[in-house]
Amino acid sequence: MAGHSKFKNIMHRKGRADAVRSKLFSRLSREITVAAKSGMPDPAMNPRLRLAVNNAKAESMPKENIERAIKKASGGEVDAMEEIRYEGRGPGGVQIIVEVLTDNRNRAASGVRSAFAKNGGALGESGSVTFMWDRVGKIDYPAEAGTEDAVMEAAIEAGAQDVESDLVKPDIYEDAPGHTIWTAFEDLNEVAEAMSKVLGDPKSTAIVWKPQSEIDLEGDSVGTLFKLLDALDAEDDVQQVYSNENISDEDAAKYAG
């Protein structure tokens, strides 16, 4: 829709989430540890661990932190870690998926339930939202990685499904992905490796949830949704939050403060 930019909307929220971002390393470490525990502790032999390590490096996590997280996989404390997915809706019927990695299921459930209840949302049953989403691969490159045509060509050659380029001004939105490449779930690592040979290392590579459609949201509902998403992000057990709102740049800026 004209006048809407998913990247810009995310960036407007970014300032609000600076405190949450301080927890980023702990979340990345947790994912590395669990990934290492789920397979070989060698990134070259473990695709999930390779993704986790690459994403940690993209966020400038120190090498010693990464190595410590991998070594922790041999300890017994990660045996009890559970991956849980919660699904619900926010203001205006916006669909929300919350991925949790926790050693205390009751604590995680209580935190997520409270965030929804206090911020205009409602938890749903398992599968109540995800049937309208796709599980896919996502590769992000900064705008300077190449022109839209160059990135598109590299993506096609690598076997990607789609490319979205939103080349906002880097001096305003310095963390905007620039180019997002979508792949089939099973093709992510192969496509990422092929593209890295042409464009260099991506900013991030991940398996994500992608909505099949978006829900338009405006006015005060935008502010309520932002509070809900921030509350979920602030939960220590929460790893990722996905939502399918479509908000105008004007409303995103107005309610970001």
Side-chain angles (χ1 to χ4, degrees):
M1 181 176 292
H4 294 66
S5 166
K6 188 69 170 180
F7 295 155
K8 291 180 185 177
N9 293 343
I10 292 171
M11 290 306 108
H12 281 304
R13 285 190 60 239
K14 183 174 172 54
R16 298 159 56 93
D18 280 344
V20 176
R21 186 174 175 79
S22 68
K23 301 176 182 177
L24 179 62
F25 279 5
S26 66
R27 293 181 179 181
L28 290 169
S29 294
R30 194 182 306 162
E31 171 59 25
I32 289 172
T33 300
V34 172
K37 186 72 175 180
S38 70
M40 297 287 290
D42 180 359
M45 304 295 291
N46 184 333
R48 177 176 176 180
L49 178 58
R50 185 159 64 248
L51 286 180
V53 169
N54 287 342
N55 288 336
K57 290 179 178 178
E59 296 293 347
S60 301
M61 178 183 280
K63 181 179 179 181
E64 56 267 27
N65 291 37
I66 295 174
E67 293 176 345
R68 189 182 308 122
I70 293 175
K71 289 179 181 178
K72 188 184 292 186
S74 61
E77 70 268 28
V78 298
D79 287 342
M81 295 295 281
E82 282 188 273
E83 294 179 274
I84 309 169
R85 185 180 71 240
Y86 296 96
E87 303 174 36
R89 293 180 184 272
V94 168
Q95 301 162 12
I96 299 173
I97 299 174
V98 183
E99 291 183 335
V100 164
L101 194 56
T102 183
D103 58 359
N104 188 320
R105 174 182 283 264
N106 291 334
R107 181 189 65 217
S110 176
V112 171
R113 186 180 299 111
S114 177
F116 271 97
K118 292 179 180 179
N119 296 282
L123 269 177
E125 297 294 325
S126 178
S128 62
V129 167
T130 50
F131 78 96
M132 292 178 283
W133 293 59
D134 297 316
R135 195 67 165 152
V136 299
K138 180 173 179 277
I139 305 167
D140 284 332
Y141 272 97
E144 58 268 24
T147 64
E148 291 184 50
D149 288 343
V151 173
M152 177 67 76
E153 182 177 349
I156 292 173
E157 288 295 321
Q161 290 184 334
D162 194 15
V163 177
E164 296 175 1
S165 293
D166 195 339
L167 307 182
V168 296
K169 295 181 179 180
D171 57 329
I172 300 176
Y173 303 104
E174 60 181 14
D175 289 332
H179 306 281
T180 297
I181 296 88
W182 300 100
T183 78
F185 177 92
E186 63 275 11
D187 295 340
L188 176 61
N189 280 295
E190 182 178 340
V191 173
E193 290 175 5
M195 293 198 66
S196 67
K197 295 176 182 177
V198 179
L199 301 176
D201 292 335
K203 180 177 180 181
S204 65
T205 307
I207 295 293
V208 302
W209 289 99
K210 183 182 182 185
Q212 296 168 7
S213 63
E214 294 184 334
I215 294 176
D216 293 338
L217 200 66
E218 59 184 18
D220 291 343
S221 294
V222 174
T224 303
L225 176 66
F226 281 179
K227 290 178 181 178
L228 171 54
L229 297 178
D230 288 344
L232 290 168
D233 281 333
E235 288 294 317
D236 287 339
D237 293 316
V238 171
Q239 289 290 100
Q240 297 291 339
V241 179
Y242 303 95
S243 55
N244 71 334
E245 74 278 1
N246 185 45
I247 301 170
S248 71
D249 294 342
E250 292 74 19
D251 272 351
K254 178 179 179 180
Y255 292 97

